[in-house]
Amino acid sequence: MKTTFAFAAVAAFVAVSVPAHADNMVFSSWGGTTQDAQKAAWASPFTEKTGITVVQDGPTDYGKLKAMVEAGQVTWDVVDVEGDYAAQAGKNGQLEKLDFSVIDKSKLDPRFVTDYSVGSFYYSFVIGCNADAVSACPKTWADLFDTTKFPGKRTFYKWSAPGVIEAALLADGVAADKLYPLDLDRAFKKLDTIKSDIVWWSGGAQSQQLLASAEAPFGSIWNGRMTALAASGIKTETSWEQNITAADSLVVPKGSPNVEAAMKFIAMATSAEPQAALAKATGYAPINVDSAKLMDPETAKTLPDQQTASQVNADMNYWADNRDAIGEKWYAWQAK
Protein backbone atom coordinates (compact mmCIF):
# COMPACT_ATOMS: atom_id res chain seq x y z
CA MET A 1 0.00 0.00 0.00
CA LYS A 2 1.43 3.33 -0.92
CA THR A 3 1.14 7.01 -1.40
CA THR A 4 -2.36 8.07 -0.74
CA PHE A 5 -3.42 5.48 1.68
CA ALA A 6 -4.80 6.80 4.74
CA PHE A 7 -2.88 7.28 7.78
CA ALA A 8 -4.47 4.66 9.87
CA ALA A 9 -4.63 5.36 13.51
CA VAL A 10 -1.15 5.65 14.85
CA ALA A 11 -1.93 3.37 17.73
CA ALA A 12 -2.91 0.65 15.31
CA PHE A 13 0.39 0.47 13.54
CA VAL A 14 2.41 0.91 16.69
CA ALA A 15 0.67 -2.12 18.11
CA VAL A 16 1.58 -4.36 15.18
CA SER A 17 4.99 -2.97 14.26
CA VAL A 18 8.19 -4.85 14.92
CA PRO A 19 10.14 -3.36 17.81
CA ALA A 20 13.75 -2.37 17.34
CA HIS A 21 16.40 -2.86 19.99
CA ALA A 22 20.00 -1.91 20.39
CA ASP A 23 21.20 -5.15 18.83
CA ASN A 24 18.82 -5.13 15.91
CA MET A 25 17.33 -2.85 13.30
CA VAL A 26 14.31 -3.01 11.01
CA PHE A 27 14.40 -2.99 7.22
CA SER A 28 11.17 -2.45 5.29
CA SER A 29 10.81 -3.23 1.61
CA TRP A 30 8.23 -4.40 -0.91
CA GLY A 31 8.08 -8.11 -0.08
CA GLY A 32 8.19 -11.08 -2.42
CA THR A 33 11.25 -12.27 -4.26
CA THR A 34 12.94 -8.86 -4.25
CA GLN A 35 12.93 -8.56 -0.47
CA ASP A 36 14.02 -12.19 -0.19
CA ALA A 37 17.00 -11.29 -2.36
CA GLN A 38 17.74 -8.14 -0.34
CA LYS A 39 17.75 -10.27 2.80
CA ALA A 40 20.19 -12.75 1.28
CA ALA A 41 22.47 -10.22 -0.43
CA TRP A 42 22.47 -7.49 2.19
CA ALA A 43 20.97 -8.39 5.56
CA SER A 44 22.54 -11.79 6.15
CA PRO A 45 26.13 -10.70 5.42
CA PHE A 46 25.53 -7.48 7.38
CA THR A 47 24.47 -9.48 10.43
CA GLU A 48 27.42 -11.81 10.00
CA LYS A 49 29.79 -8.85 9.85
CA THR A 50 28.33 -6.65 12.59
CA GLY A 51 26.26 -8.91 14.81
CA ILE A 52 23.27 -6.63 14.26
CA THR A 53 20.11 -8.56 13.41
CA VAL A 54 18.07 -7.11 10.55
CA VAL A 55 14.36 -7.65 11.16
CA GLN A 56 12.40 -7.74 7.90
CA ASP A 57 9.13 -5.80 7.67
CA GLY A 58 6.88 -4.43 4.96
CA PRO A 59 5.49 -3.82 2.52
CA THR A 60 6.68 -0.24 2.33
CA ASP A 61 3.76 2.09 2.99
CA TYR A 62 4.25 5.85 2.59
CA GLY A 63 1.23 6.74 4.71
CA LYS A 64 2.53 4.56 7.49
CA LEU A 65 6.02 6.02 7.24
CA LYS A 66 4.71 9.58 7.42
CA ALA A 67 2.46 8.76 10.36
CA MET A 68 5.36 7.16 12.22
CA VAL A 69 7.51 10.26 11.78
CA GLU A 70 4.75 12.68 12.75
CA ALA A 71 3.89 10.64 15.84
CA GLY A 72 7.53 10.24 16.88
CA GLN A 73 6.96 6.48 16.94
CA VAL A 74 9.33 5.33 14.21
CA THR A 75 9.97 1.58 14.11
CA TRP A 76 11.59 1.35 10.65
CA ASP A 77 15.29 2.11 10.38
CA VAL A 78 15.93 1.66 6.65
CA VAL A 79 13.17 1.71 4.05
CA ASP A 80 13.24 0.86 0.36
CA VAL A 81 11.19 3.54 -1.43
CA GLU A 82 10.77 4.88 -4.95
CA GLY A 83 13.24 7.52 -6.09
CA ASP A 84 10.77 10.32 -6.60
CA TYR A 85 9.23 9.66 -3.19
CA ALA A 86 12.69 9.83 -1.60
CA ALA A 87 13.33 13.22 -3.19
CA GLN A 88 10.00 14.57 -1.97
CA ALA A 89 10.20 13.10 1.55
CA GLY A 90 13.69 14.50 2.04
CA LYS A 91 12.48 17.98 1.14
CA ASN A 92 9.53 17.56 3.50
CA GLY A 93 11.68 16.76 6.53
CA GLN A 94 10.60 13.14 6.87
CA LEU A 95 14.06 11.61 6.47
CA GLU A 96 17.39 11.61 8.24
CA LYS A 97 20.33 13.04 6.32
CA LEU A 98 22.65 10.25 5.27
CA ASP A 99 26.10 10.08 6.80
CA PHE A 100 28.50 9.95 3.88
CA SER A 101 31.44 9.53 6.23
CA VAL A 102 30.00 6.02 6.71
CA ILE A 103 28.42 5.49 3.26
CA ASP A 104 30.96 5.66 0.43
CA LYS A 105 29.16 7.50 -2.36
CA SER A 106 32.23 7.82 -4.58
CA LYS A 107 31.32 4.56 -6.37
CA LEU A 108 27.57 5.14 -6.58
CA ASP A 109 25.79 6.28 -9.74
CA PRO A 110 25.40 10.02 -9.00
CA ARG A 111 21.94 10.06 -10.62
CA PHE A 112 20.67 8.20 -7.58
CA VAL A 113 22.37 10.04 -4.71
CA THR A 114 20.86 12.88 -2.68
CA ASP A 115 21.50 14.18 0.83
CA TYR A 116 18.71 11.92 2.06
CA SER A 117 18.84 8.84 -0.16
CA VAL A 118 20.97 6.54 -2.25
CA GLY A 119 19.87 4.14 -4.92
CA SER A 120 18.77 0.68 -3.91
CA PHE A 121 18.67 -0.80 -7.41
CA TYR A 122 17.93 0.32 -10.93
CA TYR A 123 14.93 -1.08 -12.81
CA SER A 124 12.73 -0.72 -15.85
CA PHE A 125 9.04 -0.97 -16.51
CA VAL A 126 8.90 -3.47 -19.36
CA ILE A 127 6.11 -5.19 -21.25
CA GLY A 128 5.85 -8.65 -19.73
CA CYS A 129 3.84 -11.55 -21.06
CA ASN A 130 2.90 -15.10 -20.07
CA ALA A 131 3.64 -16.67 -23.44
CA ASP A 132 1.98 -19.94 -22.46
CA ALA A 133 -1.36 -18.18 -21.99
CA VAL A 134 -1.70 -16.21 -25.23
CA SER A 135 -1.09 -16.75 -28.92
CA ALA A 136 0.97 -13.56 -29.26
CA CYS A 137 2.63 -11.11 -26.89
CA PRO A 138 2.53 -7.31 -27.18
CA LYS A 139 5.87 -5.78 -28.09
CA THR A 140 5.23 -2.05 -27.76
CA TRP A 141 3.22 0.25 -25.51
CA ALA A 142 0.93 0.85 -28.47
CA ASP A 143 0.38 -2.93 -28.64
CA LEU A 144 -0.44 -3.04 -24.94
CA PHE A 145 -3.14 -0.41 -25.45
CA ASP A 146 -4.54 -2.20 -28.51
CA THR A 147 -7.44 -4.32 -27.28
CA THR A 148 -8.35 -5.43 -30.80
CA LYS A 149 -4.96 -6.88 -31.57
CA PHE A 150 -4.41 -8.09 -28.00
CA PRO A 151 -7.81 -8.74 -26.35
CA GLY A 152 -8.16 -9.54 -22.68
CA LYS A 153 -7.03 -8.13 -19.39
CA ARG A 154 -3.72 -6.35 -18.95
CA THR A 155 -2.08 -5.22 -15.72
CA PHE A 156 -0.58 -1.90 -14.70
CA TYR A 157 0.93 -0.42 -11.55
CA LYS A 158 -1.84 0.92 -9.33
CA TRP A 159 -0.10 3.76 -7.59
CA SER A 160 0.69 7.27 -8.72
CA ALA A 161 4.32 6.94 -9.72
CA PRO A 162 6.49 7.13 -12.83
CA GLY A 163 5.59 4.48 -15.39
CA VAL A 164 1.96 4.20 -16.42
CA ILE A 165 1.39 7.79 -17.50
CA GLU A 166 4.59 7.73 -19.52
CA ALA A 167 3.51 4.41 -21.11
CA ALA A 168 0.13 5.88 -22.08
CA LEU A 169 1.72 8.91 -23.71
CA LEU A 170 4.27 6.79 -25.57
CA ALA A 171 1.43 4.54 -26.76
CA ASP A 172 -0.37 7.64 -28.02
CA GLY A 173 2.62 8.67 -30.09
CA VAL A 174 4.40 11.18 -27.87
CA ALA A 175 8.14 11.15 -28.53
CA ALA A 176 10.28 9.97 -25.64
CA ASP A 177 12.15 13.29 -25.46
CA LYS A 178 8.86 15.24 -25.34
CA LEU A 179 7.24 13.45 -22.38
CA TYR A 180 7.86 16.19 -19.81
CA PRO A 181 6.01 18.11 -18.58
CA LEU A 182 3.49 15.26 -18.65
CA ASP A 183 0.27 15.92 -20.55
CA LEU A 184 -2.05 14.34 -18.00
CA ASP A 185 -5.26 15.01 -19.93
CA ARG A 186 -3.86 13.24 -22.97
CA ALA A 187 -2.60 10.35 -20.84
CA PHE A 188 -5.95 9.85 -19.12
CA LYS A 189 -7.77 10.02 -22.44
CA LYS A 190 -5.55 7.21 -23.71
CA LEU A 191 -5.97 5.22 -20.51
CA ASP A 192 -9.76 5.60 -20.86
CA THR A 193 -9.56 3.39 -23.95
CA ILE A 194 -8.45 0.37 -21.90
CA LYS A 195 -9.72 1.21 -18.42
CA SER A 196 -12.23 -1.66 -18.29
CA ASP A 197 -9.48 -4.09 -19.28
CA ILE A 198 -6.99 -3.05 -16.60
CA VAL A 199 -6.23 -5.18 -13.55
CA TRP A 200 -4.14 -3.11 -11.17
CA TRP A 201 -1.18 -4.52 -9.28
CA SER A 202 -0.13 -2.88 -6.04
CA GLY A 203 3.06 -4.81 -5.30
CA GLY A 204 5.65 -6.75 -7.26
CA ALA A 205 4.55 -10.15 -6.00
CA GLN A 206 1.00 -9.44 -7.16
CA SER A 207 2.18 -8.51 -10.63
CA GLN A 208 3.90 -11.89 -10.91
CA GLN A 209 0.79 -13.69 -9.69
CA LEU A 210 -1.44 -11.93 -12.21
CA LEU A 211 0.76 -12.96 -15.12
CA ALA A 212 1.43 -16.45 -13.78
CA SER A 213 -2.27 -17.18 -13.30
CA ALA A 214 -3.07 -15.51 -16.65
CA GLU A 215 -5.74 -13.41 -14.93
CA ALA A 216 -3.92 -10.67 -16.81
CA PRO A 217 -1.51 -12.48 -19.15
CA PHE A 218 0.42 -9.33 -20.07
CA GLY A 219 1.10 -5.86 -18.78
CA SER A 220 3.54 -3.27 -17.52
CA ILE A 221 5.78 -4.88 -14.91
CA TRP A 222 9.15 -4.35 -13.24
CA ASN A 223 11.80 -6.19 -15.24
CA GLY A 224 13.09 -8.08 -12.20
CA ARG A 225 9.68 -9.61 -11.64
CA MET A 226 9.87 -11.03 -15.16
CA THR A 227 13.27 -12.49 -14.34
CA ALA A 228 11.78 -14.19 -11.29
CA LEU A 229 8.77 -15.39 -13.25
CA ALA A 230 10.97 -16.92 -15.93
CA ALA A 231 13.03 -18.64 -13.24
CA SER A 232 9.85 -20.26 -11.91
CA GLY A 233 9.47 -22.20 -15.15
CA ILE A 234 6.74 -20.17 -16.80
CA LYS A 235 7.36 -19.40 -20.47
CA THR A 236 7.67 -15.64 -20.57
CA GLU A 237 8.44 -12.90 -23.04
CA THR A 238 9.84 -9.52 -22.08
CA SER A 239 9.86 -6.59 -24.47
CA TRP A 240 12.45 -3.91 -23.70
CA GLU A 241 11.01 -1.60 -26.37
CA GLN A 242 10.92 1.88 -24.78
CA ASN A 243 11.60 0.38 -21.35
CA ILE A 244 10.90 3.07 -18.77
CA THR A 245 13.64 3.32 -16.19
CA ALA A 246 13.66 4.45 -12.59
CA ALA A 247 15.36 3.47 -9.34
CA ASP A 248 14.40 2.54 -5.83
CA SER A 249 16.15 4.34 -3.01
CA LEU A 250 17.21 3.55 0.54
CA VAL A 251 16.18 6.08 3.18
CA VAL A 252 16.20 6.44 6.97
CA PRO A 253 12.97 7.82 8.45
CA LYS A 254 13.37 10.88 10.67
CA GLY A 255 13.54 9.63 14.25
CA SER A 256 14.79 6.14 13.45
CA PRO A 257 15.76 4.51 16.76
CA ASN A 258 18.88 2.95 15.22
CA VAL A 259 20.38 5.61 12.97
CA GLU A 260 23.96 4.46 13.43
CA ALA A 261 23.11 0.88 12.47
CA ALA A 262 20.99 2.16 9.58
CA MET A 263 23.94 4.06 8.10
CA LYS A 264 26.16 1.01 8.40
CA PHE A 265 23.49 -1.14 6.75
CA ILE A 266 23.14 1.25 3.81
CA ALA A 267 26.94 1.39 3.46
CA MET A 268 26.97 -2.39 3.22
CA ALA A 269 23.94 -2.65 0.90
CA THR A 270 25.37 -0.19 -1.61
CA SER A 271 28.89 -1.59 -1.71
CA ALA A 272 30.02 -3.41 -4.84
CA GLU A 273 29.66 -7.05 -3.90
CA PRO A 274 26.21 -6.92 -2.24
CA GLN A 275 24.93 -4.82 -5.16
CA ALA A 276 26.26 -7.41 -7.61
CA ALA A 277 24.69 -10.22 -5.59
CA LEU A 278 21.31 -8.48 -5.62
CA ALA A 279 21.53 -7.86 -9.36
CA LYS A 280 22.30 -11.52 -10.03
CA ALA A 281 19.34 -12.60 -7.93
CA THR A 282 16.76 -10.11 -9.17
CA GLY A 283 17.63 -8.91 -12.66
CA TYR A 284 17.72 -5.31 -11.42
CA ALA A 285 20.82 -3.29 -12.20
CA PRO A 286 23.36 -2.33 -9.50
CA ILE A 287 23.80 1.26 -8.34
CA ASN A 288 27.49 0.73 -7.50
CA VAL A 289 29.55 1.29 -10.64
CA ASP A 290 32.10 -1.34 -9.59
CA SER A 291 29.51 -4.14 -9.35
CA ALA A 292 29.38 -5.00 -13.05
CA LYS A 293 32.98 -6.23 -13.04
CA LEU A 294 32.00 -8.74 -10.34
CA MET A 295 29.28 -10.28 -12.51
CA ASP A 296 29.52 -12.69 -15.39
CA PRO A 297 28.97 -10.91 -18.74
CA GLU A 298 25.96 -13.04 -19.64
CA THR A 299 24.07 -11.85 -16.56
CA ALA A 300 25.28 -8.27 -16.77
CA LYS A 301 24.02 -7.83 -20.33
CA THR A 302 20.44 -8.71 -19.31
CA LEU A 303 20.14 -5.82 -16.86
CA PRO A 304 18.32 -2.54 -17.54
CA ASP A 305 21.51 -0.50 -17.79
CA GLN A 306 22.40 -2.58 -20.86
CA GLN A 307 19.01 -2.01 -22.55
CA THR A 308 19.69 1.54 -23.66
CA ALA A 309 18.85 1.27 -27.36
CA SER A 310 15.26 2.43 -26.86
CA GLN A 311 15.31 3.33 -23.18
CA VAL A 312 13.18 6.10 -21.69
CA ASN A 313 14.37 7.66 -18.43
CA ALA A 314 11.59 8.74 -16.09
CA ASP A 315 12.26 12.22 -14.74
CA MET A 316 12.46 11.71 -10.96
CA ASN A 317 12.88 15.41 -10.21
CA TYR A 318 9.77 16.27 -12.20
CA TRP A 319 7.84 13.62 -10.32
CA ALA A 320 9.17 14.77 -6.94
CA ASP A 321 8.03 18.32 -7.66
CA ASN A 322 4.62 17.28 -9.00
CA ARG A 323 3.92 14.05 -7.14
CA ASP A 324 1.01 15.33 -5.04
CA ALA A 325 -0.73 17.13 -7.90
CA ILE A 326 -0.39 14.12 -10.20
CA GLY A 327 -1.56 11.79 -7.45
CA GLU A 328 -4.70 13.82 -6.84
CA LYS A 329 -5.70 13.58 -10.52
CA TRP A 330 -4.56 9.95 -10.78
CA TYR A 331 -6.74 8.64 -7.97
CA ALA A 332 -9.71 10.78 -9.03
CA TRP A 333 -9.46 9.21 -12.49
CA GLN A 334 -9.20 5.71 -11.04
CA ALA A 335 -12.29 6.29 -8.91
CA LYS A 336 -14.49 7.31 -11.85
Side-chain angles (χ1 to χ4, degrees), residues 127-138 155 207-219 221 226 229-230 232-238:
I127 300 167
C129 178
N130 179 342
D132 279 331
V134 294
S135 58
C137 291
T155 188
S207 68
Q208 290 174 248
Q209 293 161 5
L210 287 167
L211 261 69
S213 67
E215 180 180 348
F218 36 66
I221 183 171
M226 291 305 297
L229 204 58
S232 73
I234 293 173
K235 184 181 178 183
T236 63
E237 284 189 20
T238 297

Side-chain angles (χ1 to χ4, degrees), residues 25 30 63-64 89 115 126 128 145 148 188 192 195 209 215 241 255-256 295 301 308 320-321 328:
M25 54 160 284
W30 301 100
K64 182 174 177 176
D115 288 345
V126 296
F145 279 73
T148 300
F188 289 133
D192 279 338
K195 191 172 185 178
Q209 293 161 5
E215 180 180 348
E241 184 67 25
S256 155
M295 304 174 65
K301 74 180 183 182
T308 57
D321 291 341
E328 184 176 346

Side-chain angles (χ1 to χ4, degrees), residues 13 16 19 24 34 39 54 78 94 108 115 125 148 155 160 169 190 229 231 310 330:
F13 76 69
V16 301
N24 68 32
T34 299
K39 181 180 179 182
V54 181
V78 177
Q94 295 171 13
L108 305 184
D115 288 345
F125 280 97
T148 300
T155 188
S160 174
L169 292 172
K190 186 66 176 177
L229 204 58
S310 64
W330 174 256

Side-chain angles (χ1 to χ4, degrees), residues 94-164:
Q94 295 171 13
L95 304 177
E96 298 281 353
K97 273 194 171 181
L98 298 186
D99 185 350
F100 290 112
S101 70
V102 177
I103 302 164
D104 179 7
K105 66 178 180 180
S106 67
K107 298 297 183 181
L108 305 184
D109 188 325
R111 292 177 298 170
F112 310 122
V113 178
T114 74
D115 288 345
Y116 298 93
S117 64
V118 292
S120 174
F121 52 79
Y122 171 37
Y123 63 89
S124 285
F125 280 97
V126 296
I127 300 167
C129 178
N130 179 342
D132 279 331
V134 294
S135 58
C137 291
K139 307 294 185 187
T140 67
W141 296 116
D143 286 345
L144 195 56
F145 279 73
D146 187 339
T147 56
T148 300
K149 190 176 178 183
F150 298 96
K153 299 294 184 182
R154 63 242 23 236
T155 188
F156 286 90
Y157 192 38
K158 179 178 182 177
W159 308 112
S160 174
V164 182

